[in-house]
Amino acid sequence: MLMNKALLLSEIAKKIEDCRRCDLWNGTTHAVPGEGLPEAKVVFIGEGPGFHEDRLGRPFVGQAGKLLDKLIVSVGLSRDEVFICNVVKHRAPENRDPLPTEIAACKVWLDQQLEIINPKVTVTLGRYSLARFLPRVKISTVHGQAIKIKSQVVIPMYHPAAALRNGAVLRSLEADFQKNSQLLKNPDNAVSTAKLNESEEDPNQMSFF
Ligand code: URA
């Protein structure tokens, strides 16, 4: 049955706004469910909303978001052709790292979003979203490598906020986008022809090495 992805995603967004599965909502201005093209072939997953995202209820709209926009444009895409969301959907106090219990509580929403969108390529930004796919892998060893997990491709990348703090990380992030530009711009063709690191293992069970 062909379901309307936009409708399903907006229903989830409403549930996220009312979500009380953990305490993060307390003290926030808005939930930040995520946004973009419901039929996107490429999804970017960050860590969690910051100050500006909380104010607007939109993902990646602060300084890290400006950098992400530039990187997306650098491979010939635009923000409205992709979907952008986060591991946790409410801002953590003082932008602290999300707790394992908060990530676990919020997983149900990210899982449903990914199931509906069913992207060809998922770009993880930072270690928290990488951990959703490859919990035992260090970002410094896999960033920029396209990894096939079941029928989809995951490309771990550094978080844009880390790149804003460190020039070497910024250069790596820019290079990782360029290196994967074909996969990001033409996922249909590129996913079938690209030489990928393949894993058919359950990402929750596997060790990458
Ligand atoms: N950092 C994130 O991880 N997500 C956002 O939405 C903004 C900044």
Side-chain angles (χ1 to χ4, degrees):
M1 184 173 35
L2 191 62
M3 298 285 247
N4 183 328
K5 293 189 178 198
L7 190 64
L8 291 171
L9 287 171
S10 74
E11 279 169 7
I12 291 175
K14 276 190 226 129
K15 290 186 192 160
I16 291 171
E17 275 150 33
D18 296 336
C19 181
R20 302 293 181 261
R21 292 171 57 87
C22 76
D23 289 335
L24 277 185
W25 65 275
N26 201 348
T28 57
T29 311
H30 290 102
V32 184
E35 68 183 22
L37 185 70
E39 292 78 23
K41 305 228 160 110
V42 181
V43 170
F44 291 86
I45 309 174
E47 175 181 320
F51 176 85
H52 297 284
E53 291 76 22
D54 173 63
R55 287 290 139 137
L56 296 180
R58 299 180 53 209
F60 281 99
V61 289
Q63 288 307 312
K66 290 206 177 90
L67 173 57
L68 179 61
D69 287 349
K70 267 206 245 166
L71 292 162
I72 289 172
V73 169
S74 78
V75 294
L77 278 172
S78 72
R79 205 175 152 114
D80 14 300
E81 293 174 85
V82 302
F83 194 89
I84 303 176
C85 61
N86 284 300
V87 170
V88 296
K89 313 298 192 187
H90 281 98
R91 182 187 180 213
E94 311 299 327
N95 291 346
R96 65 156 168 77
D97 290 346
L99 302 172
T101 49
E102 293 159 350
I103 295 171
C106 218
K107 186 173 184 293
V108 60
W109 306 127
L110 180 59
D111 286 352
Q112 289 181 49
Q113 288 174 316
L114 290 175
E115 195 180 325
I116 293 165
I117 300 167
N118 191 21
K120 293 261 178 210
V121 174
T122 300
V123 178
T124 60
L125 300 168
R127 63 198 160 110
Y128 290 97
S129 57
L130 171 60
R132 181 192 177 282
F133 296 92
L134 300 167
R136 299 188 223 161
V137 162
K138 275 181 92 174
I139 193 162
S140 54
T141 59
V142 290
H143 71 89
Q145 294 181 30
I147 301 166
K148 194 156 183 222
I149 300 174
K150 304 214 155 99
S151 58
Q152 60 171 311
V153 172
V154 174
I155 311 176
M157 301 231 195
Y158 284 117
H159 195 289
L164 290 174
R165 292 190 295 265
N166 180 320
V169 173
L170 174 60
R171 286 188 290 281
S172 288
L173 183 58
E174 289 170 337
D176 290 345
F177 266 79
Q178 291 314 311
K179 182 174 154 193
N180 289 287
S181 62
Q182 280 314 308
L183 269 175
L184 295 167
K185 177 72 187 152
N186 287 308
D188 284 324
N189 296 338
V191 165
S192 52
T193 54
K195 201 164 161 284
L196 301 165
N197 302 294
E198 189 143 353
S199 166
E200 294 297 331
E201 286 179 73
D202 175 350
N204 293 315
Q205 302 298 322
M206 74 181 266
S207 159
F208 187 61
F209 302 103

